[in-house]
Amino acid sequence: MSAKSKLNQMKAFIKKPHNIILVVLLVVLGYLTLVPLLTIILDTVTVHSSEARFVKKPVGSLTLYHWTKMFASGVTSQKTFYEPFVNTMVVAFLSCVLAILIGGFFAWTVTRTNIRAKAFISTVFVFPYIMPAWTLAMAWLNFFRNSRIGGAPGLFTVFTGMETPNWFAYGLFPIVIVQGLHYAPFAYILIGGILRNMDANLEEAAMLLHANRIQIMMKVTLPIVRPALLSTFLLVFSSTMSAFAVPAFLGSPVRYQVLTTQMYRTLNGMNPGYGYIMALVMIVIGVGILMLNQWITGRRKSYTTITGKSSNISLFNLRKARTPLTILLVTILMMVAILPLASFAIESFIMAPGDYSFSNFTTEFWIGKGRADIANSEPGILRNPSIWLGLTNSLKLSIIISLIAGTVGMLSGYAIAKRRGSRLSTWVNNLTFFPYLMPSMAFGAIFLSMFAVRRGFIPALYGSFWLLVIVGAVKYLPFASRSGINAMLQLSGEIEEAGTIMGVGWLKRMTRIIFPIQKTTFISGYLLPFISCMRELSLFILLVSPSTRILTTLLFQYNEKGWNQYANAINLMIVVIVVGFNLLINKLTGASIDKGIGNN
Amino acid sequence: MPRIELQHITKKFGKFVAVDDLNMVIDDRSFVTLLGPSGCGKTTTLRMIAGLETPTEGVITINDKIVFSSEDGIDVPPDKRDVGFLFQNYALWPHMTVYKNIAFGLENLKWSKDAIKTRVEELLAMLKISEFAARYPSELSGGQQQRVAIARTLATGPKVLFMDEPLSNLDAKLRMEMRSELKRLHRETDSTFVYVTHDQLEAMTLSSMVCLMKNGYMQQYAPPLEVYRKPANTFTADFVGSPNINLVEGMVLQGKPLILKITNQVHLSFHPKTDIAVEQGQAIVLGLRPEHIAVLEQESDVEAEILSSLPSGMETIIALSMDSIRLHSVVFGDIDFEVGKRVGLSFGDGIFNLFDKASGRNLGQGTLSRV
């Protein structure tokens, strides 16, 4: 090939905006995701200052110290790694099973039976997922805490006089229940989507061929949704595996450690090398899960076209069970979605914890000036400057992150879909999804170590607000890019080409043609990072400094100090903002978080 | 014998009436098509007979056995009605091989393994898909999937077969092939076919009876050629036939002998075959099938100008302007016409239908000539 034709090829390549987007993303994301990964690996074999004494090697030199300590040092390994690892797997597995059973049952009931109040169930069922994960954990403590952690017992004990046993109040059991309930909506949305799109004719055909209800379920419905069910299982598994807040709240009173809580201890403490090994283990499992998922969905028997006329679904007649079942489901929903909020409100208004008599109610923790005898004269949260700072920081951070992640996600979706099948596009696609697999806390820790010093043109960012922005934007890019890709794949290329032929410029094509058509999907791409960021704890917990603290980290601090009322009040505030914002956007644009959830 | 009878069948979805007071009898071994535009209630009717949809009111009898009655609260489930159903999108189970798909119904009937094998192989051969037995549906073309779906439906030997637009997802050539295939199957299986389509050509060529529907009402229930020759109203006249019938508005100028005023210039004399009750001044619609308008080089019944000529070899479709009324005519043979030329039109050998404009009802048949 002559030099001139090569040059012309280059020119033609650069002339297309989607090529430029892909190349820029490849470089930037490569730097922000692959370099951290290398840093992690390097960190696991490097001597850190705090441990130089034990290793007997100069700081910064190579060592296998962490790896041997972690995997092959008898009781130490057992305590630091193997036990938390097994706990993590058990928690993740059981939570997953629970989430799928609950979510699947609700999904089947809403899409396939004639139950009442479908709209209400659909809307409210998603609440536990929109709310921060620890919401239910805190509610659990509000109801069931016993005297073990000191202080007052929970509502249950107050009203019944029975002391809850430890296994019920803390550790594996409540963690599984709470995580299962938190991720049940996720399963509900995925499974519900499949059932809604699944051609009812497939079931009717079986019925006409003399199959009974059970045979239809076992031989037709379940096998058809099985790949999707498995992939739901895997996605929920990877989420529960890397969850931090719930085990931290419910596990620590009885020293029930999982990988993430161990990671927090080690990364926050003296031995980051250990933490990074745990992070690596989790990343490996995450990648393994993703590959398994791709293998399952790409097999011969599975198929993508489950479309069809689904308008004709013949609903399963519940007959006499209709009203009782409706009441049962609505009651369960009230208990997991509405009651926790009520408990936060109540807890934030009582003076002495555990005493729910009317005379004990106070507005001190909301609007009090602060009293010397309570919580080091911390003022009530509505006149507390550090809370206001946290709130503004949280909002500012979430808005900036959602703008960046949403826009980049949309552009990457556009470019990936345009060049679908090419190697460049596949790489960028995988890179934009990679942050999803990184456990949040490890991701935060890496950025901490990476940007603590000046790197090229990027100044040292430790303690700066922009460090939080970068971490959040990269971490939540997968949400936005998934919706971006989905939006673009639904759109025929000809729609944009029609604009190109009429000489409409690229920017105008994007803003006047493509964005308006797929508005709701793109807005979901902005909404999801915003909401995730508003309620994120583990990603930022290692990165905040006093001036950049946000609501969630404040909540965690208050909780650690045992200032229950403040923590409850802040939690209520976060939930109200997140749920309110979701409803507002939903009303204004029709976009909603549940549409986004279905995409990833 | 599986004779199907519908009495006063009504189906409402909320306030929307999908099917309104439908009465019809489907004879044993007939091939009945439910024909109409989308949303006319034909698929709903089919699904109600099969038991997939519950009628709001009415009685359905299959083979002298009441399978549904709103008054007596009888609702026999679909699998007990001994019917087969062929879905528009085939509804093949993606996780089963072709063989498994076909064997499924027989397994549910607890046939022995050997008997199933014999039966499935017989069907595979009958539909010429033996070599695909081990494949999954996603690995087959649309036409092959269609054949598998038919084999699956026939496997249990239902006496009645329902088909919901089974050919609409196929390309033109395959559709042609499957049409003759279906007709062959109808003869070979010796069963009753009820077929839903919006394609009038399919209805005309396949069926022994056509049930034309619109907005939930039955418009006409007759053999296809009768629908063609003597449409019950302007809707059925317009729905059947390609190119479409010419529906020309006019009024009765004089009752006896009957003279129609089409335009100020064009007056035609209508000679009824039977008694027709019309009043002077009544607004009417005259139905002229394109093949009954002869285009001549000489002066004839009326004059017209050629607007366009579309020769396809076997026939030529001509658009004409008769005193600024647009007409279509079909002339057989490979002839082309000069656009803009003035020609004569003759209504010599046609039998034409006269409709009441207000109600759309057929008033009667007759021949036409110049006044």
Side-chain angles (χ1 to χ4, degrees), chain B residues 96-104 107 113-121 124 132-136 148:
Chain B
M96 297 184 196
T97 58
V98 167
Y99 184 95
K100 278 272 168 199
N101 261 287
I102 301 172
F104 186 82
E107 284 168 7
K113 268 230 159 81
D114 291 336
I116 292 179
K117 191 158 184 280
T118 318
R119 175 70 177 148
V120 173
E121 272 163 9
L124 286 169
F132 306 124
R135 293 221 200 154
Y136 287 98
V148 178

Side-chain angles (χ1 to χ4, degrees), chain A residues 277-296:
Chain A
I277 291 179
M278 285 184 250
L280 270 183
V281 169
M282 290 173 71
I283 291 171
V284 168
I285 297 176
V287 173
I289 283 175
L290 188 76
M291 280 161 58
L292 195 62
N293 187 23
Q294 266 168 1
W295 179 71
I296 288 171

Side-chain angles (χ1 to χ4, degrees), chain B residues 308-334:
Chain B
S308 73
S309 162
L310 306 173
S312 65
M314 187 178 73
E315 63 190 22
T316 301
I317 299 170
I318 311 158
L320 301 149
S321 169
M322 175 182 78
D323 194 15
S324 75
I325 287 179
R326 262 183 90 108
L327 292 178
H328 281 104
S329 162
V330 174
V331 173
F332 293 94
D334 49 353

Side-chain angles (χ1 to χ4, degrees), chain A residues 55-56 88 104 136 141 181 221 225 262 361 398 467 490 590:
Chain A
V55 192
K56 303 191 178 67
T88 304
L136 283 172
L141 290 180
L181 285 173
T221 316
V225 300
Q262 270 300 63
F361 272 64
S398 305
L467 182 57
Q490 287 163 11

Side-chain angles (χ1 to χ4, degrees), chain A residues 532-549:
Chain A
S532 309
C533 185
M534 249 345 257
R535 56 170 203 211
E536 179 66 64
L537 173 66
S538 38
L539 183 64
F540 301 123
I541 194 161
L542 297 170
L543 299 176
V544 290
S545 63
S547 66
T548 60
R549 61 177 125 190

